[in-house]
Amino acid sequence: MSPEAPRESGPDEADDPGAEKRQWTRRALAFGRGAVLEIGDRSHIVGLGDLSEGGALLITRASAPVGETVRLRLSMIASRAEVTLPGTVVRIVAAPSGDSQRGLGVRFDDLDDEVRAAIAAFVARDPAARRA
């Protein structure tokens, strides 16, 4: 299955079960695990809303247009090694009314097998991991 085309979405679309297709099982990270998003020469601390082998939902006040190339730095829990994940913004989730935080959907690009396997192992450890 090929990744979906980049797009913007609003709050109503997120509630539509037919609005998106996922290739990878993801792990929701309710405790707000943090990471660093690099957009050009700027760095932003972001929350990870969820994580999969294919990408992540980032909770942030930072803005980046769909199609923007970014890098996400995060620590892998098991190895405690920091990894830098290259990616592309593929979705912008609008903030709730009056809130400046929003979501950026990032698709990972060209991950090596070792990093992809570490993410897959992290996701598999969560009994609440889900595909949808």
Side-chain angles (χ1 to χ4, degrees):
M1 182 186 303
S2 63
E4 64 180 281
R7 61 190 171 86
E8 290 195 30
S9 67
D12 294 335
E13 187 177 343
D15 295 333
D16 179 1
E20 63 179 296
K21 305 276 188 250
R22 293 191 186 272
Q23 179 179 4
W24 308 102
T25 300
R26 67 184 175 173
R27 179 175 177 178
L29 301 168
F31 54 87
R33 181 172 168 78
V36 176
L37 177 66
E38 298 174 349
I39 305 170
D41 61 354
R42 300 171 302 164
S43 295
H44 307 273
I45 296 174
V46 298
L48 284 172
D50 67 37
L51 178 68
S52 76
E53 294 173 64
L57 174 64
L58 308 177
I59 309 304
T60 181
R61 286 186 170 87
S63 63
V66 169
E68 179 83 21
T69 299
V70 298
R71 290 171 308 282
L72 182 66
R73 291 191 337 242
L74 63 100
S75 295
M76 299 306 293
I77 293 173
S79 67
R80 299 187 190 264
E82 183 175 275
V83 294
T84 300
L85 309 171
T88 303
V89 175
V90 294
R91 188 172 185 190
I92 299 170
V93 180
S97 181
D99 188 354
S100 62
Q101 289 193 336
R102 63 171 160 195
L104 293 178
V106 173
R107 180 190 64 225
F108 297 142
D109 301 325
D110 302 319
L111 296 185
D112 65 43
D113 292 338
E114 184 179 335
V115 170
R116 192 174 300 279
I119 293 170
F122 175 74
V123 170
R125 284 193 297 268
D126 181 16
R130 60 191 188 274
R131 184 169 292 278

